[in-house]
């Protein structure tokens, strides 16, 4: 198995223990969606697709594992670093990069490094496209507008809360 497949299996195993079908459906859709958008943006921006996809798969792991979203980015970055260390096959730089991407993904109004920005942008796209009425949190609207311009999409008609 390659690293993306191993990470997907890790996430699937975590969801198999859940009883709430909505949490399973929404959680899987969100993590897989963020991973796909992260890979797409990495391709566009000339970054490592595999690293971005793995970070997307793992970015909200701690929230779904524990049911607690409080300080999830910080807590998740530590948990994910341990997971990456446990399965092996990741360099120290890769573990630190993925952990940093996860730690910073909630700070949507702040600009960080190229990899952190991929995960923030992918998370924003997933929030928009997986929302039944295409709404965004207000902290994501400027980011979404910039993404639409970067990707050549119209920004007409999107909503924020």
């Amino acid at each position: 198995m390659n690293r993306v497949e191993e990470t997907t299996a890790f996430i699937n195993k975590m969801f198999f223990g859940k009883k709430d079908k909505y949490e399973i459906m929404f959680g899987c859709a969100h993590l897989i969606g963020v991973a796909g958008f992260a890979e797409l943006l990495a391709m566009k921006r000339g970054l490592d697709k595999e690293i971005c996809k793995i970070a997307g798969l793992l970015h909200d792991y701690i929230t779904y594992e524990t049911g607690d979203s409080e300080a999830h980015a910080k807590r998740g970055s530590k948990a994910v670093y341990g997971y990456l260390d446990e399965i092996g096959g990741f360099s120290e730089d890769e573990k630190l990069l993925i952990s940093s991407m996860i730690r910073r993904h909630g700070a949507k109004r702040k600009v960080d490094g190229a990899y952190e920005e991929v995960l923030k942008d992918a998370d924003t796209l997933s929030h928009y496209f997986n929302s039944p009425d295409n709404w965004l949190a207000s902290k994501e609207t400027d980011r979404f507008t910039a993404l639409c311009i970067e990707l050549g999409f119209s920004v007409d008609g999107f909503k924020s809360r």
Side-chain angles (χ1 to χ4, degrees):
M1 241 191 302
N2 68 40
R3 298 187 310 179
V4 171
E5 291 170 335
E6 285 195 37
T7 303
T8 302
F10 173 76
I11 293 299
N12 286 339
K13 183 178 177 187
M14 184 261 305
F15 278 116
F16 288 151
K18 305 289 179 189
K19 296 200 180 342
D20 182 342
K21 292 188 185 326
Y22 177 79
E23 179 185 18
I24 294 166
M25 181 187 71
F26 178 79
C28 286
H30 180 60
L31 296 181
I32 291 167
V34 171
F37 285 128
E39 184 175 22
L40 174 82
L41 292 170
M43 290 171 64
K44 182 166 187 336
R45 297 174 185 175
L47 301 173
D48 186 311
K49 298 182 311 183
E50 181 191 39
I51 292 296
C52 292
K53 187 169 193 165
I54 289 169
L57 286 167
L58 294 171
H59 82 285
D60 280 345
Y61 159 73
I62 200 70
T63 297
Y64 294 115
E65 175 65 24
T66 67
D68 179 10
S69 64
E70 184 70 30
H72 79 285
K74 183 178 179 181
R75 290 176 31 248
S77 70
K78 291 178 184 176
V80 164
Y81 182 92
Y83 158 72
L84 297 172
D85 199 38
E86 181 182 313
I87 66 164
F90 290 89
S91 72
E92 185 65 20
D93 287 345
E94 289 172 328
K95 291 185 288 188
L96 289 171
L97 178 57
I98 292 168
S99 183
S100 175
M101 292 168 74
I102 291 168
R103 184 174 52 260
R104 294 187 170 113
H105 85 273
K108 299 291 195 296
R109 289 189 173 119
K110 186 173 185 242
V111 176
D112 288 299
Y115 282 89
E116 289 84 357
E117 291 302 298
V118 162
L119 187 56
K120 291 177 194 185
D121 289 345
D123 197 29
T124 297
L125 289 170
S126 179
H127 291 157
Y128 180 80
F129 286 109
N130 285 332
S131 168
D133 60 352
N134 298 112
W135 68 268
L136 287 172
S138 61
K139 69 179 182 179
E140 295 176 306
T141 57
D142 289 344
R143 183 169 291 277
F144 184 76
T145 299
L147 276 164
C148 286
I149 292 166
E150 176 186 353
L151 299 172
F153 300 148
S154 169
V155 295
D156 295 336
F158 81 88
K159 307 166 192 163
S160 67
R161 285 190 182 175

